[in-house]
Amino acid sequence: MELSSPFISLQKPKPYSSPTPDLSFSSSFSPFPFQIHFEISKFTNPTSPKFHILAVAVDPKELPQNSPQRLLKELAERKKITSPKKKFPPKKFILKPPLDDARLAQRFLNSPQLSLNSFPLLSSCLPSSRLNNADKAWIDEFLLEAKQALGYPLEPSDQYGDDNPAKQFDTLLYLAFQHPSCERTNARHVRSGHSRLWFLGQYVLELALAEYFLQKYPRESPAPMRERVFGLIGKRNLPQWIKAASLQNLVFQFDDMDRLVRKEREPPVKDAFIYGQFSNRSHLSLLGYRFLPVEPGLESVFWALFGAIYLCYGMPEVYRVLFEVFGMDPEHEDCQPKLRRQLEDVDYVSVELEDKKISWQDVAAYKPPEDALFAHPRLFRACVPPGMHRFRGNIWDYDSRPQVMQALGYPLVVTDRIPDITKARNIELGLGLQLCFLHPSKYKFEHPRFCYERLEYVGQKIQDIVMAERLLMKHLDAPGKWLQEKHRRILMNKFCGRYLRDKHLHRFIIYSEQVQDSYEHNRRLRNPATTAVQQAIHGLSYLVYGKPDVRRLMFEVFDFEQIQPKPVSRP
């Protein structure tokens, strides 16, 4: 095999000609060993200005060891390996310099949250900065439709006096409809204001319905009541109530509201989303949804709405909107509790509750008499049965009741017009305390209402709303999600029972003999009972003295805001 490749110039190079002459290439194969012959043309006058040297390749290994070129080349190769390309963060994550003290103080002083001294809770739920032009444009376009659907006067609420909390209703109603997925919640004051309203509104709804069902069903245990409440305001039936209030065009962008009810098509996943085909409506939605989250989307708007109503108009207006505007029906088949074995109740019920179905109008319009023994007389009669007077003068009444009242700071000093009212209140307070410490294992199977369960139910709801109000007024700049987590951590059941044991009040709980023996062998079994007694005490204080006494017990007597629970010292 032979390979020949002569490079032959086809044209004789001329002086000062191009250094790249035309070349020809030819090859032939043969079975003999190949040979390669090169014929390289010689260029004349390499110093000509038209003769350019483009690059010179030098092997760095041939350079001296201390040559600067070699060191620079090795350093460049090392940087390519060890130094990746840096990615700079976007501008929105770059920290801004903090405000100076004067500007920071001015911003806080100009905040609407510090504008109402007479309504601290309402002031804490206002936006952290004044509404801008985009907020006012939304109010001018959509707020009248919302107020008309809810049954409120259409004139602006700014016309009310400064001593009327309803003056801020337009602002709070605007915040209530701003769902986190809409573009307006990019503003911090809108996003935080909405979340703080739904944080308060959920506890307002639970307390309102708890008081209503306790008076409507005076013989029922709390378990069916919790199922009724969940059936009314649970996420399964909320689209139905929204449609009954004619708010579907304001809250949703769906043509068919009924398909939002998810029963069997999807499992009840907490973070599931409901997607649907958007309708071509002429007006924008109040919420600006691209999709409708089941939770906390719909519920957050629903809760925030009642948070705004509660702050401006109080609890009676909450009942009106629930049952009149939204048309909630406690007798609806989807709101009925599960069938369970009912214990026979042979004890008496208060006269005003016997054979009478309390309606929501009765609960909303009820005002205690001038010389009433308690802050909530009818609710007290619904939770403390009249038959508790048979326990008056027993061993617990003489031995344990004075120690419990001394630890709790009872009885409070109340100036009554008639001295007999004070004496009667103290007697009823002692019987209520004995009921708070009466474990279900003692008398429940023979007398279902002679235990702390109903007081525990209302106490749990009132301590939730008291702690929510406390956190809202204490943390003005905190969003609702953060407040919700802090609320949950403070009111954990194990902490509530521990606070009671710190005061050594668990020794006065009345158990049956069998349960008492089992708790002596395993003391952890008593922890749920101590938690229930703690909440029952809060419920009793709310019924007798009102919400201020619940605050006193939670933050002065039991110290619910302590950073870490104090160690329990065994007696």
Side-chain angles (χ1 to χ4, degrees), residues 165-189:
K167 183 177 183 179
Q168 310 296 330
F169 184 63
D170 286 358
T171 303
L172 295 182
L173 193 60
Y174 163 70
L175 294 177
F177 278 98
Q178 305 313 305
H179 186 266
S181 66
C182 67
E183 297 180 357
R184 287 176 298 277
T185 53
N186 293 333
R188 181 177 178 273
H189 68 283

Short mmCIF file of all heavy atoms in Angstrom, two decimals, residues 165-189:
data_model
loop_
_atom_site.label_atom_id
_atom_site.label_comp_id
_atom_site.label_asym_id
_atom_site.label_seq_id
_atom_site.Cartn_x
_atom_site.Cartn_y
_atom_site.Cartn_z
N PRO A 165 -68.03 51.90 66.91
CA PRO A 165 -67.09 51.00 66.22
C PRO A 165 -67.48 50.70 64.78
O PRO A 165 -66.63 50.30 63.98
CB PRO A 165 -67.11 49.74 67.08
CG PRO A 165 -68.39 49.80 67.84
CD PRO A 165 -68.68 51.26 68.06
N ALA A 166 -68.75 50.90 64.41
CA ALA A 166 -69.18 50.63 63.03
C ALA A 166 -68.58 51.60 62.03
O ALA A 166 -68.71 51.39 60.82
CB ALA A 166 -70.71 50.69 62.95
N LYS A 167 -67.90 52.64 62.49
CA LYS A 167 -67.26 53.58 61.57
C LYS A 167 -66.19 52.90 60.74
O LYS A 167 -65.91 53.31 59.61
CB LYS A 167 -66.66 54.74 62.36
CG LYS A 167 -66.04 55.83 61.50
CD LYS A 167 -65.53 56.99 62.32
CE LYS A 167 -64.98 58.08 61.43
NZ LYS A 167 -64.50 59.25 62.20
N GLN A 168 -65.56 51.85 61.25
CA GLN A 168 -64.50 51.15 60.53
C GLN A 168 -65.01 49.94 59.75
O GLN A 168 -64.21 49.14 59.28
CB GLN A 168 -63.44 50.68 61.54
CG GLN A 168 -62.94 51.74 62.49
CD GLN A 168 -62.22 52.86 61.78
OE1 GLN A 168 -61.61 52.63 60.74
NE2 GLN A 168 -62.26 54.05 62.34
N PHE A 169 -66.34 49.82 59.60
CA PHE A 169 -66.88 48.60 59.00
C PHE A 169 -66.49 48.47 57.53
O PHE A 169 -66.20 47.36 57.04
CB PHE A 169 -68.40 48.58 59.14
CG PHE A 169 -69.04 47.31 58.64
CD1 PHE A 169 -68.76 46.09 59.23
CD2 PHE A 169 -69.91 47.34 57.56
CE1 PHE A 169 -69.33 44.93 58.77
CE2 PHE A 169 -70.49 46.17 57.10
CZ PHE A 169 -70.21 44.97 57.70
N ASP A 170 -66.48 49.58 56.76
CA ASP A 170 -66.12 49.50 55.35
C ASP A 170 -64.69 49.00 55.17
O ASP A 170 -64.41 48.16 54.29
CB ASP A 170 -66.27 50.87 54.69
CG ASP A 170 -67.74 51.24 54.48
OD1 ASP A 170 -68.61 50.40 54.81
OD2 ASP A 170 -68.01 52.35 54.00
N THR A 171 -63.79 49.48 56.00
CA THR A 171 -62.40 49.04 55.89
C THR A 171 -62.26 47.56 56.23
O THR A 171 -61.58 46.80 55.52
CB THR A 171 -61.52 49.87 56.83
OG1 THR A 171 -61.66 51.26 56.49
CG2 THR A 171 -60.06 49.47 56.71
N LEU A 172 -62.90 47.12 57.31
CA LEU A 172 -62.80 45.71 57.69
C LEU A 172 -63.50 44.80 56.70
O LEU A 172 -63.04 43.68 56.44
CB LEU A 172 -63.39 45.52 59.09
CG LEU A 172 -62.66 46.22 60.24
CD1 LEU A 172 -63.33 45.90 61.56
CD2 LEU A 172 -61.19 45.80 60.29
N LEU A 173 -64.61 45.25 56.14
CA LEU A 173 -65.31 44.43 55.14
C LEU A 173 -64.47 44.29 53.88
O LEU A 173 -64.47 43.23 53.24
CB LEU A 173 -66.67 45.05 54.83
CG LEU A 173 -67.67 44.18 54.06
CD1 LEU A 173 -67.98 42.92 54.84
CD2 LEU A 173 -68.93 44.96 53.75
N TYR A 174 -63.76 45.34 53.52
CA TYR A 174 -62.84 45.25 52.37
C TYR A 174 -61.73 44.23 52.64
O TYR A 174 -61.42 43.39 51.79
CB TYR A 174 -62.25 46.63 52.09
CG TYR A 174 -61.01 46.59 51.23
CD1 TYR A 174 -61.07 46.24 49.89
CD2 TYR A 174 -59.77 46.88 51.77
CE1 TYR A 174 -59.93 46.18 49.10
CE2 TYR A 174 -58.62 46.85 51.00
CZ TYR A 174 -58.71 46.50 49.67
OH TYR A 174 -57.59 46.44 48.90
N LEU A 175 -61.16 44.27 53.83
CA LEU A 175 -60.10 43.32 54.17
C LEU A 175 -60.63 41.89 54.21
O LEU A 175 -59.91 40.94 53.88
CB LEU A 175 -59.48 43.68 55.52
CG LEU A 175 -58.70 45.00 55.59
CD1 LEU A 175 -58.22 45.23 57.01
CD2 LEU A 175 -57.53 44.99 54.63
N ALA A 176 -61.88 41.72 54.63
CA ALA A 176 -62.42 40.37 54.75
C ALA A 176 -62.52 39.67 53.41
O ALA A 176 -62.39 38.44 53.34
CB ALA A 176 -63.80 40.43 55.42
N PHE A 177 -62.75 40.41 52.32
CA PHE A 177 -62.93 39.79 51.02
C PHE A 177 -61.62 39.63 50.24
O PHE A 177 -61.65 39.11 49.13
CB PHE A 177 -63.91 40.60 50.17
CG PHE A 177 -65.35 40.31 50.48
CD1 PHE A 177 -66.07 41.13 51.32
CD2 PHE A 177 -65.96 39.20 49.94
CE1 PHE A 177 -67.40 40.85 51.62
CE2 PHE A 177 -67.29 38.92 50.23
CZ PHE A 177 -68.01 39.75 51.07
N GLN A 178 -60.50 40.05 50.80
CA GLN A 178 -59.24 39.97 50.06
C GLN A 178 -58.57 38.63 50.31
O GLN A 178 -57.81 38.45 51.26
CB GLN A 178 -58.32 41.13 50.48
CG GLN A 178 -58.95 42.49 50.33
CD GLN A 178 -59.63 42.68 48.99
OE1 GLN A 178 -59.02 42.49 47.94
NE2 GLN A 178 -60.90 43.05 49.03
N HIS A 179 -58.86 37.70 49.42
CA HIS A 179 -58.31 36.35 49.55
C HIS A 179 -56.81 36.36 49.26
O HIS A 179 -56.33 37.16 48.45
CB HIS A 179 -59.03 35.41 48.59
CG HIS A 179 -58.64 33.99 48.76
ND1 HIS A 179 -57.65 33.40 48.02
CD2 HIS A 179 -59.09 33.04 49.61
CE1 HIS A 179 -57.51 32.14 48.39
NE2 HIS A 179 -58.37 31.90 49.35
N PRO A 180 -56.02 35.50 49.90
CA PRO A 180 -54.56 35.51 49.68
C PRO A 180 -54.13 35.29 48.24
O PRO A 180 -53.00 35.65 47.89
CB PRO A 180 -54.07 34.37 50.58
CG PRO A 180 -55.09 34.26 51.64
CD PRO A 180 -56.40 34.60 51.01
N SER A 181 -54.96 34.70 47.39
CA SER A 181 -54.54 34.43 46.02
C SER A 181 -54.77 35.59 45.07
O SER A 181 -54.33 35.54 43.93
CB SER A 181 -55.28 33.20 45.48
OG SER A 181 -56.66 33.48 45.36
N CYS A 182 -55.44 36.64 45.50
CA CYS A 182 -55.69 37.75 44.60
C CYS A 182 -54.50 38.70 44.62
O CYS A 182 -53.67 38.71 45.53
CB CYS A 182 -56.98 38.49 44.97
SG CYS A 182 -56.91 39.35 46.54
N GLU A 183 -54.42 39.53 43.56
CA GLU A 183 -53.25 40.39 43.40
C GLU A 183 -53.18 41.50 44.45
O GLU A 183 -52.09 41.98 44.74
CB GLU A 183 -53.27 41.00 42.00
CG GLU A 183 -53.15 39.97 40.88
CD GLU A 183 -53.17 40.60 39.51
OE1 GLU A 183 -53.34 41.85 39.45
OE2 GLU A 183 -53.02 39.87 38.51
N ARG A 184 -54.30 41.87 45.00
CA ARG A 184 -54.27 42.98 45.97
C ARG A 184 -53.57 42.58 47.26
O ARG A 184 -53.12 43.44 48.02
CB ARG A 184 -55.70 43.44 46.28
CG ARG A 184 -56.34 44.21 45.15
CD ARG A 184 -57.78 44.56 45.48
NE ARG A 184 -58.59 43.36 45.64
CZ ARG A 184 -59.14 42.69 44.65
NH1 ARG A 184 -58.94 43.08 43.41
NH2 ARG A 184 -59.86 41.62 44.87
N THR A 185 -53.48 41.29 47.53
CA THR A 185 -52.81 40.87 48.76
C THR A 185 -51.30 40.89 48.63
O THR A 185 -50.60 40.49 49.55
CB THR A 185 -53.26 39.45 49.15
OG1 THR A 185 -53.06 38.57 48.04
CG2 THR A 185 -54.70 39.45 49.56
N ASN A 186 -50.77 41.35 47.48
CA ASN A 186 -49.33 41.58 47.41
C ASN A 186 -48.92 42.70 48.36
O ASN A 186 -47.78 42.75 48.80
CB ASN A 186 -48.91 41.92 45.98
CG ASN A 186 -49.09 40.73 45.06
OD1 ASN A 186 -49.04 39.58 45.49
ND2 ASN A 186 -49.32 40.99 43.79
N ALA A 187 -49.85 43.59 48.63
CA ALA A 187 -49.59 44.65 49.61
C ALA A 187 -49.64 44.05 51.01
O ALA A 187 -50.55 43.31 51.36
CB ALA A 187 -50.61 45.77 49.46
N ARG A 188 -48.66 44.40 51.82
CA ARG A 188 -48.53 43.78 53.12
C ARG A 188 -49.69 44.12 54.03
O ARG A 188 -50.18 43.28 54.80
CB ARG A 188 -47.21 44.22 53.76
CG ARG A 188 -46.95 43.62 55.14
CD ARG A 188 -45.59 44.05 55.66
NE ARG A 188 -45.34 43.52 56.99
CZ ARG A 188 -45.71 44.09 58.12
NH1 ARG A 188 -46.36 45.25 58.07
NH2 ARG A 188 -45.46 43.55 59.29
N HIS A 189 -50.19 45.36 53.98
CA HIS A 189 -51.26 45.75 54.89
C HIS A 189 -52.56 45.03 54.57
O HIS A 189 -53.35 44.75 55.47
CB HIS A 189 -51.46 47.27 54.84
CG HIS A 189 -52.00 47.78 53.54
ND1 HIS A 189 -51.23 47.91 52.41
CD2 HIS A 189 -53.26 48.17 53.18
CE1 HIS A 189 -51.97 48.37 51.41
NE2 HIS A 189 -53.21 48.53 51.85
#
